[in-house]
């Protein structure tokens, strides 16, 4: 059985491979996927429920940015809660690039992700995307 840390690291690896099914396969049926409300008008903010909600959210990301690479840098683990500090490297459709710090808070239950909350500076990201 994988540890919670291995599960979360596996999700980041699946994102890197662009393996959506590998990502979604780690989620509980009632997963809550939460992004800052400051991105809602672009279709990538607020809360989504269940793997289908996450799939819908992820399908909108390419319309907002041309590219993104997420680099987890530090994992803080407390039983079923893992907080990840990292950097997000973004390329806008305008060709502008930037790096933004993030905090991901993951909650697991019985080896399945039940919640993920992404926290980042929406103002700075939007400035890059709107150049």
């Amino acid at each position: 059985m994988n540890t919670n840390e291995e599960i979360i690291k596996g999700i980041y690896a699946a994102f890197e491979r662009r393996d959506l099914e590998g990502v979604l396969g780690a989620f509980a049926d009632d997963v809550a996927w939460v992004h800052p409300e400051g991105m809602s008008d672009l279709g990538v903010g607020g809360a989504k429920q269940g793997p289908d909600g996450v799939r819908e959210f992820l399908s909108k990301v390419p319309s907002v940015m041309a590219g993104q690479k997420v680099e987890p840098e530090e994992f803080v683990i407390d039983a079923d809660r893992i907080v990840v500090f990292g950097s997000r490297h973004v390329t806008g459709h305008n060709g502008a690039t930037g790096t933004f710090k993030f905090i991901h808070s993951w909650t697991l239950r019985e080896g399945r992700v039940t919640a993920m909350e992404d926290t980042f500076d929406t103002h700075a990201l939007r400035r890059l995307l709107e150049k």
Side-chain angles (χ1 to χ4, degrees):
M1 180 173 170
N2 290 335
T3 67
N4 286 340
E5 181 179 9
E6 290 169 335
I7 291 166
I8 299 305
K9 286 182 176 180
I11 291 170
Y12 286 111
F15 269 119
E16 181 72 22
R17 294 188 309 271
R18 300 198 183 321
D19 175 8
L20 181 58
E21 297 312 312
V23 171
L24 298 176
F27 294 164
D29 291 340
D30 61 347
V31 66
W33 182 266
V34 183
H35 279 252
E37 289 292 339
M39 301 297 286
S40 293
D41 63 315
L42 299 176
V44 290
K48 305 296 182 211
Q49 296 296 313
D52 288 341
V54 176
R55 182 187 308 274
E56 175 190 350
F57 167 86
L58 293 174
S59 75
K60 294 178 182 178
V61 172
S63 69
V64 175
M65 59 189 74
Q68 171 177 231
K69 180 178 180 178
V70 176
E71 283 187 60
E73 296 163 354
E74 180 183 355
F75 292 75
V76 179
I77 303 159
D78 184 15
D80 287 342
R81 171 64 61 87
I82 298 179
V83 177
V84 179
F85 297 86
S87 296
R88 173 182 282 120
H89 308 282
V90 175
T91 302
H93 289 292
N94 55 15
T97 61
T99 299
F100 307 91
K101 293 294 187 182
F102 69 78
I103 302 169
H104 289 164
S105 175
W106 299 87
T107 304
L108 296 96
R109 179 183 67 236
E110 298 174 2
R112 310 290 282 177
V113 174
T114 59
M116 192 291 289
E117 184 169 355
D118 189 1
T119 303
F120 59 92
D121 183 346
T122 60
H123 182 70
L125 178 59
R126 290 181 72 107
R127 273 197 323 254
L128 174 108
L129 297 175
E130 295 167 0
K131 281 186 178 180

